[in-house]
Amino acid sequence: MAEYLFQGGYKNKVGEVKVNLLLIHFKDEGGINFIYSPHLDLTGYGNNLRDAKKSFEIVFEDFVDYTLKKKTLGKILTNLGWELKGTLKRPKKVLAPSITSVIGNNDYVSEIFDKYPVKTFHQEVGIPAFA
């Protein structure tokens, strides 16, 4: 299981919120490795698992940086089905949607499970507390 540990996380001067993500590892027909987060609809890829994890970490950090700069992180998480307890700008608790609701609402996730052998794992990551 250690090979799947995701080293991503994000802190800012306000702090961070820990969230538990389901990550999916699969290979396509061409042998390319993918790490996909259905909770965030983010994908990393590479020629091997290590490269796919590095790619995912970059995509994750870029997602957080971009949404923070645009001040849209809370709105995007809400649109993805996340529950923010407290206020949108200062949530006290952030909960990812259930995987069953994600699969039911996202044809791409269903296709991954139907088409490829997958390995799934949960990873706690930090996202920034909202400023």
Side-chain angles (χ1 to χ4, degrees):
M1 186 61 129
E3 68 182 312
Y4 286 104
L5 289 180
F6 169 62
Q7 299 301 313
Y10 199 100
K11 293 182 183 180
N12 64 4
K13 59 187 170 197
V14 177
E16 72 175 335
V17 177
K18 293 285 188 181
V19 295
N20 199 22
L21 294 180
L22 174 72
L23 298 178
I24 300 169
H25 170 236
F26 66 97
K27 291 182 186 180
D28 71 3
E29 297 88 0
I32 301 296
N33 286 263
F34 293 87
I35 298 289
Y36 176 68
S37 168
H39 290 114
L40 296 173
D41 201 22
L42 299 175
T43 305
Y45 65 94
N47 290 324
N48 53 51
L49 177 59
R50 187 184 75 234
D51 290 348
K53 286 189 321 186
K54 284 181 185 177
S55 172
F56 183 83
E57 290 172 13
I58 291 167
V59 168
F60 176 77
E61 288 178 12
D62 286 349
F63 166 78
V64 173
D65 282 339
Y66 180 81
T67 56
L68 281 177
K69 287 176 184 162
K70 293 290 188 179
K71 299 182 183 199
T72 59
L73 181 58
K75 182 178 180 182
I76 289 175
L77 290 178
T78 301
N79 289 344
L80 289 168
W82 291 63
E83 188 177 341
L84 308 179
K85 302 242 182 195
T87 67
L88 189 60
K89 291 192 177 193
R90 290 203 179 268
K92 293 181 180 170
K93 193 169 189 179
V94 180
L95 300 170
S98 72
I99 191 59
T100 53
S101 68
V102 171
I103 291 170
N105 294 327
N106 187 328
D107 292 338
Y108 179 64
V109 178
S110 298
E111 181 182 333
I112 290 170
F113 280 104
D114 290 343
K115 192 172 181 180
Y116 304 105
V118 301
K119 294 180 182 173
T120 62
F121 55 102
H122 286 87
Q123 183 66 46
E124 184 176 77
V125 298
I127 62 171
F130 298 62

